[in-house]
Amino acid sequence: MKAIVTITTFRGISFEAIHFYGTLQIIAGDDIELYRSITQTEIDKDPERWYGYDEGDLTKSFNSWKDIVIAAGDKAKEKGISLEEIFVEGIPNTGSLPYHEALKPIDTRPRCKKCGKVFESGEGCYNTPRGLFCVKCY
């Protein structure tokens, strides 16, 4: 392994506001913050959020974790790192994945760490340092 893509998420106070941020951590090297260009469509769709920005300005905020994986792959290629030597951490409700596995369709629904039960929206669960558990398994 030569690099790790680390994805972090932030759930804002706005309705359904989820922001994704990423870093490419090169082992025995640099930690590179990942950026993307803002599109005019985004500015037009949400002028309050993008007030003062112009098309092409850079932001650390990505629209999805998959966009971060792709951006990290592009940056790794620039640095001469093979995509086969990259792992991705921080995709919701998954562990560490090889780069190409992270681009495949992934079930990211929250589930019980012990029995694997998928939690429905609003269903109670226990979120512990050891992981997420259903009421039965906790």
Side-chain angles (χ1 to χ4, degrees):
M1 171 176 45
K2 286 202 175 177
I4 300 170
V5 179
T6 303
I7 299 169
T8 57
T9 57
F10 172 75
R11 187 175 300 267
I13 59 172
S14 302
F15 180 71
E16 296 292 319
I18 300 176
H19 306 274
F20 298 89
Y21 302 92
T23 305
L24 178 65
Q25 299 171 317
I26 300 172
I27 306 303
D30 299 329
D31 286 357
I32 301 168
E33 294 276 345
L34 299 173
Y35 293 87
R36 68 174 181 86
S37 296
I38 299 168
T39 65
Q40 188 61 49
T41 304
E42 288 178 290
I43 294 169
D44 294 343
K45 187 176 179 180
D46 194 353
E48 270 187 48
R49 177 179 182 194
W50 300 112
Y51 178 78
Y53 288 89
D54 293 318
E55 180 179 21
D57 285 351
L58 297 178
T59 180
K60 293 181 192 180
S61 177
F62 286 78
N63 295 315
S64 72
W65 55 263
K66 192 167 268 192
D67 292 340
I68 293 171
V69 174
I70 293 167
D74 292 343
K75 184 59 76 174
K77 287 179 202 173
E78 285 177 24
K79 298 288 185 178
I81 298 171
S82 167
L83 300 180
E84 307 301 324
E85 299 178 286
I86 299 174
F87 279 81
V88 179
E89 296 180 350
I91 296 174
N93 305 307
T94 66
S96 181
L97 297 171
Y99 179 84
H100 291 294
E101 292 294 316
L103 291 175
K104 293 179 179 178
I106 299 172
D107 183 359
T108 60
R109 296 177 297 175
R111 59 183 72 239
C112 177
K113 185 174 180 180
K114 186 172 181 182
C115 72
K117 176 191 182 311
V118 174
F119 296 105
E120 300 301 326
S121 181
E123 183 177 1
C125 61
Y126 290 94
N127 188 9
T128 74
R130 295 179 293 128
L132 203 60
F133 293 91
C134 68
V135 174
K136 181 180 174 188
C137 290
Y138 187 74

